[in-house]
Amino acid sequence: MTAPLAQLRRVSKTYGAGEHAVTALSDADLEIHPGEVMLIEGPSGSGKTTLISILGLLLKPTGGEIIVGGKDASRMTERELPDLRASTFGFIFQGFNLFPALSAVENVALAIRMKDARAKDPTGQAHKLLDQVGLSARAHHLPADMSGGQKQRVAIARALGGNPPIIVGDEPTAALDTKTALGVMELLRGLATDQGRAVVVVTHDPRLERFADRVVRVEDGRIESNLRAAHALAS
Amino acid sequence: MPVWNLAKKILLHDRVKFVVASAGVSISVMLVLVQIGLYAGFMQTASTLIDHSHADVWVTRQAAENFDFSSPLDDRTYYRVASTPGVARAERMILAFAQMKLDDGGDLGIQVIGIEHGARLMGPWNVVAGDRARLGEPGAITIDRSEYAKLKIRDVGHRTEIFGARAEVVALTDGIRSFTTSPLIFTDLQSARTFVRYGAEMENYVLVQIAPGADATAVRDALRTIPHVDAYTTAEMSARTQTYWSSRTGIGATFFMTAILSVIVGLVVVGQILYNGTLQHLREYGTLKAMGAKNGAVVRVIVYQALISAAVGFVVGGGLAFGAQASMKGANLIVALSPSLFVATAVVTVVMCALASMLSIIKVLRLDPASVFKV
């Protein structure tokens, strides 16, 4: 097996202190491998969002270690984290979060430029990324003129800006109809299979498990199971 | 595509909000320009006689605070001034109020400027009709075109009375107006004494031209040794007159307070629009931060939006100010729009819009990138 791109080791997160302390995540261990699609499932409030926020270096854990690209990110300062985040992670969301005033190519180019102010030809890079997600024909359309699936493809192209090895999605198919949702997951599956990227997706939708290599189940702030997808389907 | 263009697109996407923000800045800019321009115009008018003179030093009665209300001097003072070392030329001048008889039987307060026959240091300028050389004739006067409506006089040759003494219009000028709103009438020194009921050897200013190579301040200091008089260089006299009207009457505070209020209104309008826009795009900004965008890069997008609002508002506001200047000219009001006023207003506009973006910047700086998962 290849070396993991990121590892969580006994990671915990507690909000508040004393009597009001709420533990959102306890002793979570997780490895993210290249070329792997991982689904994170669990009921609302189970700790899924906390888990991917910590994995994506958006939230500091109260305990444990996060190893990203061989570096212990849990010991990094707030000033050091954005650079590591920019080079390692791309994010996609249920609500797409695209600037309505900017065309597809401009949304992607802005993200590339924001990640790296010295990026060469961000517009050219954005066109290539839109081509990868099958949207080159809609490059100059505004989000308002696109379907939900097309917007999510733009968001995926934006997440690929800067060539991050890990794509983290927070319910990226929740706002889409079944056919479109499956199309988006096929695209994400392809990014893992064809480009060796790791894809981590939080979802409530069990139909997506057929695209996954691994399914992680979170309940009450604990990782209850972490199984190969075939085992998960069988169970 | 540069971040500048992206900021412009984000700003222009909601046209209505952009128009409101630009209108806020434009009106603010116009009000600042017009208020300060009007103030500068009033100050120009207050010292216009001094600024158009060819004198180097002005001699007046001691402790005379106001140029327009000076006490009389007598000819002995004039002769002492004229004989002071460093003085090449001295001319007597009267500036005092009188009453002119109108055609309809009424009277109107006027300011009479009496100058010596052949005066070189003071005289009417912008003569547009008639013959200035006839001012030496007894009772000859000039009137200004801007005062036609008040005086009900339009032509050279018109005859009237000033405090019962005969007067005849021999020349018309353009743009010679008084801060006191009383029309300015040029006449010869002897006629002026009659019109304002001064004695035969009375005047209230002595204008001095210094000898070549002499130092104006040194001559001024020498003239101050003459009993009961004050002396000022022309620049000092001009500034002193403007300061009197500006500070002693409260006119300066009034105009500047309005200008400051205009800036505050612009600040609030632009700030509100930018802040609303930032709130509207908070998820998108959060996404950029989540993806590793540094605070500086995101802040730049907001600052550029503020600067675009400033630029558009300044151009439109400047145009409106020129329009106001043209329309106020008809009402005999001078809006002095100088290049330095435009530069200063441009700086104020940029600072105003930058300050207006502060709330938005603070909001974005405090935006937790993890919040994008919570929306």
Side-chain angles (χ1 to χ4, degrees):
Chain A
M1 177 166 274
T2 53
L5 295 168
Q7 285 176 281
L8 303 190
R9 293 179 185 160
R10 301 186 67 77
V11 165
S12 300
K13 180 67 182 178
T14 303
Y15 294 101
E19 287 180 12
H20 304 289
V22 176
T23 300
L25 198 63
S26 295
D27 297 330
D29 290 305
L30 204 62
E31 288 190 350
I32 311 298
H33 290 275
E36 193 174 70
V37 175
M38 177 185 284
L39 294 191
I40 298 177
E41 297 179 345
S44 296
S46 59
K48 304 186 299 292
T49 299
T50 302
L51 180 65
I52 60 164
S53 297
I54 290 173
L55 170 67
L57 308 180
L58 297 169
L59 197 61
K60 281 246 176 191
T62 44
E65 290 179 337
I66 316 164
I67 309 298
V68 176
K71 296 173 190 164
D72 185 355
S74 50
R75 293 175 189 276
M76 286 184 167
T77 64
E78 292 294 338
R79 293 177 70 88
E80 292 169 319
L81 283 174
D83 282 339
L84 184 59
R85 203 161 59 221
S87 63
T88 310
F89 297 97
F91 296 95
I92 48 180
F93 307 94
Q94 178 182 336
F96 321 122
N97 297 2
L98 299 173
F99 278 100
L102 305 184
S103 66
V105 71
E106 288 165 347
N107 263 292
V108 179
L110 177 64
I112 293 168
R113 187 177 280 275
M114 288 279 154
K115 279 186 166 189
D116 179 7
R118 288 168 296 180
K120 284 184 183 169
D121 188 18
T123 305
Q125 288 185 47
H127 275 293
K128 284 180 186 163
L129 291 171
L130 285 171
D131 192 36
Q132 276 186 39
V133 299
L135 266 189
S136 49
R138 310 284 286 176
H140 297 289
H141 286 69
L142 294 176
D145 301 326
M146 287 189 264
S147 67
Q150 288 170 333
K151 286 181 205 172
Q152 198 57 289
R153 283 169 184 267
V154 175
I156 292 168
R158 180 178 63 182
L160 293 174
N163 200 25
I166 304 173
I167 304 297
V168 177
D170 183 29
E171 308 217 30
T173 60
L176 306 176
D177 61 69
T178 303
K179 188 181 169 193
T180 310
L182 297 179
V184 166
M185 277 311 293
E186 268 176 30
L187 175 62
L188 292 173
R189 175 72 260 180
L191 293 176
T193 306
D194 304 335
Q195 300 179 10
R197 294 179 207 273
V199 176
V200 181
V201 172
V202 166
T203 183
H204 283 102
D205 187 351
R207 291 171 303 171
L208 305 188
E209 287 178 4
R210 73 168 106 144
F211 299 97
D213 297 300
R214 185 168 288 279
V215 178
V216 173
R217 184 149 188 90
V218 183
E219 281 184 35
D220 297 329
R222 292 186 175 276
I223 293 179
E224 290 295 323
S225 63
N226 181 350
L227 302 171
R228 299 283 309 165
H231 296 112
L233 284 168
S235 68
Chain B
M1 176 176 278
V3 176
W4 183 270
N5 275 345
L6 296 170
K8 185 182 77 182
K9 286 203 164 194
I10 292 168
L11 189 66
L12 291 178
H13 183 64
D14 192 333
R15 297 281 164 92
V16 174
K17 280 185 182 168
F18 176 69
V19 167
V20 172
S22 299
V25 181
S26 303
I27 290 168
S28 178
V29 166
M30 183 201 70
L31 285 173
V32 169
L33 285 170
V34 170
Q35 286 298 308
I36 307 288
L38 270 173
Y39 170 77
F42 279 132
M43 291 304 102
Q44 275 181 18
T45 304
S47 62
T48 188
L49 282 177
I50 302 163
D51 298 333
H52 279 90
S53 79
H54 300 288
D56 298 310
V57 177
W58 287 66
V59 177
T60 181
R61 187 88 185 176
Q62 195 168 42
E65 283 195 72
N66 184 298
F67 174 69
D68 294 277
F69 302 95
S70 180
S71 303
L73 303 165
D74 61 33
D75 272 354
R76 283 177 297 176
T77 302
Y78 161 67
Y79 290 120
R80 292 189 70 168
V81 168
S83 59
T84 300
V87 173
R89 182 180 179 85
E91 291 178 6
R92 291 162 288 187
M93 184 188 119
I94 287 172
L95 175 65
F97 287 86
Q99 292 282 326
M100 177 183 272
K101 181 68 73 184
L102 303 180
D103 278 355
D104 61 8
D107 292 300
L108 183 76
I110 57 169
Q111 275 187 280
V112 175
I113 307 150
I115 53 172
E116 294 196 38
H117 185 60
R120 282 190 262 162
L121 304 185
M122 172 60 76
W125 63 95
N126 286 352
V127 175
V128 291
D131 183 4
R132 176 190 158 146
R134 287 187 59 202
L135 266 187
E137 296 173 11
I141 61 169
T142 67
I143 64 163
D144 194 79
R145 270 213 303 221
S146 61
E147 307 289 10
Y148 287 167
K150 277 188 204 164
L151 296 171
K152 300 176 177 64
I153 296 173
R154 291 200 160 269
D155 305 307
V156 171
H158 188 101
R159 292 187 176 176
T160 183
E161 288 180 6
I162 299 173
F163 270 152
R166 192 180 63 84
E168 180 185 346
V169 178
V170 296
L172 302 176
T173 60
D174 185 31
I176 304 181
R177 300 195 64 247
S178 156
F179 183 78
T180 63
T181 72
S182 298
L184 290 171
I185 305 292
F186 278 91
T187 187
D188 126 288
L189 192 64
Q190 294 307 324
S191 300
R193 283 172 175 150
T194 307
F195 291 152
V196 303
R197 296 175 176 172
Y198 270 21
E201 297 183 341
M202 288 169 69
E203 54 272 346
N204 46 11
Y205 287 100
V206 180
L207 279 57
V208 169
Q209 185 179 49
I210 62 170
D215 176 47
T217 53
V219 174
R220 174 203 66 190
D221 292 342
L223 291 169
R224 281 179 177 171
T225 62
I226 299 171
H228 311 302
V229 304
D230 262 335
Y232 303 97
T233 64
T234 298
E236 288 169 344
M237 192 70 185
S238 176
R240 190 177 149 83
T241 301
Q242 292 188 4
T243 302
Y244 176 88
W245 286 115
S246 177
S247 60
R248 298 292 288 274
T249 62
I251 192 171
T254 306
F255 278 104
F256 280 97
M257 185 54 72
T258 308
I260 289 167
L261 287 175
S262 308
V263 171
I264 292 171
V265 168
L267 192 77
V268 171
V269 172
V270 180
Q272 174 75 8
I273 297 290
L274 284 178
Y275 189 66
N276 279 345
T278 304
L279 288 185
Q280 198 179 336
H281 296 306
L282 213 52
R283 282 194 307 179
E284 288 83 357
Y285 289 126
T287 303
L288 294 176
K289 285 184 76 169
M291 288 184 174
K294 300 232 170 44
N295 275 328
V298 182
V299 165
R300 218 163 56 232
V301 175
I302 293 171
V303 170
Y304 285 166
Q305 290 179 53
L307 293 179
I308 291 166
S309 301
V312 172
F314 182 75
V315 170
V316 175
L320 290 173
F322 277 120
Q325 182 189 42
S327 64
M328 287 185 186
K329 198 173 180 183
N332 275 339
L333 288 170
I334 298 170
V335 181
L337 298 174
S338 62
S340 57
L341 175 59
F342 271 97
V343 171
T345 306
V347 172
V348 168
T349 309
V350 168
V351 171
M352 176 182 84
C353 288
L355 284 176
S357 68
M358 287 310 290
L359 268 183
S360 301
I361 288 170
I362 290 167
K363 187 77 183 170
V364 165
L365 290 178
R366 288 184 177 170
L367 176 62
D368 178 3
S371 66
V372 290
F373 284 130
K374 297 172 190 163
V375 181

